Amino acid sequence: GAVVSQHPSRVICKSGTSVKIECRSLDFQATTMFWYRQFPKKSLMLMATSNEGSKATYEQGVEKDKFLINHASLTLSTLTVTSAHPEDSSFYICSAPSARGYTFGSGTRLTVV
Amino acid sequence: GNSVTQMEGPVTLSEEAFLTINCTYTATGYPSLFWYVQYPGEGLQLLLKATKADDKGSNKGFEATYRKETTSFHLEKGSVQVSDSAVYFCALKSNYQLIWGAGTKLIIKP
């Protein structure tokens, strides 16, 4: 139980386009979703916290207009990287609190060319 | 601020070798400490945790002891297997947030 399905696992996009990453809680309700980013050889950094039905809370230094987060239902949260640039290339992971603790998606490797 | 430092990988060992992955932390108060594992193509999974000083977390043959005096939470396993090949993350919980180490890739050769 307590599975978070994250898609896509890998995506390559052209500079200037937008990319949407989805995280779905398959067998539990995720009222909160944490979105992380990981740079090579660096720690996972919390970008924002989304709560179902309300605006996301962004960490300092994270551009809310660039990283659009929507948490429209108890089972779906999305992160859209708008007008992507090569420096947005990174590994993005979502996580939701569950009865087992924190349940993580498998991550999305974004490459912007 | 709070931070977690873990040894840089990759760590390459032969099957049945002894494993230690070092993790040290900086935190105010008394955080909970965690080890997560990410197998290839899968999401992060909680491996073990400890919530207070001198607690020992254990799972699947892995152990880690919460050492307040050295601010450490080193991961150990007496005899590793090829199936243990994965990326291991050390983390601490501060308020509602998890603070992460950079991850250590472990490669076990048969």
Side-chain angles (χ1 to χ4, degrees), chain B residues 55-73:
Chain B
D55 266 4
K56 178 186 284 188
S58 61
N59 186 24
K60 298 181 180 181
F62 291 89
E63 293 183 341
T65 302
Y66 190 145
R67 301 284 189 199
K68 183 171 176 294
E69 63 276 12
T70 55
T71 60
S72 65
F73 193 54

Side-chain angles (χ1 to χ4, degrees), chain B residues 6-7 11 13 16-23 34-36 47-49 55-67 70 72-81 84 88-90 104 106 108:
Chain B
Q6 62 182 103
M7 64 191 289
V11 173
L13 296 172
E16 299 183 2
F18 184 87
L19 168 72
T20 300
I21 300 178
N22 290 336
C23 172
F34 304 82
W35 276 100
Y36 280 81
L47 181 59
L48 53 85
K49 68 178 182 180
D55 266 4
K56 178 186 284 188
S58 61
N59 186 24
K60 298 181 180 181
F62 291 89
E63 293 183 341
T65 302
Y66 190 145
R67 301 284 189 199
T70 55
S72 65
F73 193 54
H74 304 322
L75 182 68
E76 297 181 335
K77 186 174 185 180
S79 177
V80 293
Q81 305 301 313
D84 293 326
Y88 293 81
F89 292 88
C90 184
T104 302
L106 175 65
I108 306 300

Side-chain angles (χ1 to χ4, degrees), chain A residues 13-24:
Chain A
C13 71
K14 290 184 177 181
S15 191
T17 62
S18 295
V19 173
K20 180 184 283 188
I21 302 170
E22 292 189 349
C23 280
R24 294 180 183 274

Side-chain angles (χ1 to χ4, degrees), chain B residues 27-49:
Chain B
T28 55
Y30 303 97
S32 295
L33 301 174
F34 304 82
W35 276 100
Y36 280 81
V37 58
Q38 185 173 32
Y39 298 103
E42 299 183 17
L44 284 159
Q45 304 172 24
L46 178 63
L47 181 59
L48 53 85
K49 68 178 182 180

Side-chain angles (χ1 to χ4, degrees), chain A residues 34 36 38 41-44 46 49 59 91 93 102 104-106, chain B residues 8 36 38 41-44 46 89 93 96-98 100-102:
Chain A
F34 300 104
Y36 293 89
Q38 186 181 29
K41 298 188 177 182
K42 299 290 185 184
S43 301
L44 285 164
L46 180 66
T49 303
E59 297 300 305
F91 190 65
I93 301 179
Y102 294 95
F104 289 81
S106 54
Chain B
E8 196 171 320
Y36 280 81
Q38 185 173 32
E42 299 183 17
L44 284 159
L46 178 63
F89 292 88
K93 186 178 177 183
Y96 68 90
Q97 253 191 63
L98 284 174
W100 297 86

Side-chain angles (χ1 to χ4, degrees), chain A residues 2-87:
Chain A
V3 174
V4 171
S5 176
Q6 182 171 349
H7 293 280
S9 58
R10 291 180 180 271
V11 58
I12 300 172
C13 71
K14 290 184 177 181
S15 191
T17 62
S18 295
V19 173
K20 180 184 283 188
I21 302 170
E22 292 189 349
C23 280
R24 294 180 183 274
S25 57
L26 298 185
D27 48 7
F28 70 104
Q29 294 182 333
T31 55
T32 300
M33 190 74 74
F34 300 104
W35 286 93
Y36 293 89
R37 180 177 181 177
Q38 186 181 29
F39 294 96
K41 298 188 177 182
K42 299 290 185 184
S43 301
L44 285 164
M45 300 296 295
L46 180 66
M47 298 174 63
T49 303
S50 71
N51 294 292
E52 186 269 335
S54 62
K55 290 184 178 180
T57 302
Y58 290 80
E59 297 300 305
Q60 192 172 8
V62 178
E63 299 176 61
K64 60 181 67 177
D65 293 332
K66 180 165 189 61
F67 298 99
L68 298 179
I69 290 174
N70 184 277
H71 197 146
S73 76
L74 290 171
T75 59
L76 175 64
S77 179
T78 61
L79 166 67
T80 301
V81 182
T82 62
S83 187
H85 291 285
E87 58 265 30

